[in-house]
Amino acid sequence: TSQARLLAALGIGEAVAWHFERARSPEEFARTRAAVEQLVRPDGLGSFRALVTGRGVPEAPLRGLSLGGDPI
């Protein structure tokens, strides 16, 4: 799956909202938001592919892969 989908499924949006409530200044929040945008932009780091492997792990849906869309 893509890094953007993985991070979205893991709750990066909720993490940004949490940080927004606790940021000490608008500038601090803007820096955090810009950093997150770098991680999820489809024309940037968000297009990187994420590979999840395991051995001896029970077959259960992985939260990070719950958005679907991409073939695994």
Side-chain angles (χ1 to χ4, degrees):
T1 191
S2 71
Q3 175 171 289
R5 283 187 180 273
L6 180 70
L7 292 174
L10 290 173
I12 198 164
E14 291 86 359
V16 171
W18 180 88
H19 186 73
F20 175 72
E21 295 173 2
R22 290 158 182 80
R24 296 184 192 115
S25 68
E27 294 80 17
E28 179 184 349
F29 177 70
R31 284 191 301 273
T32 300
R33 184 170 182 218
V36 169
E37 286 177 5
Q38 289 288 326
L39 293 173
V40 299
R41 285 180 52 153
D43 61 339
L45 296 174
S47 67
F48 283 18
R49 305 303 283 178
L51 174 66
V52 179
T53 64
R55 184 179 220 165
V57 179
E59 288 190 35
L62 297 174
R63 181 175 175 212
L65 302 175
S66 65
L67 291 180
D70 292 319
I72 298 174

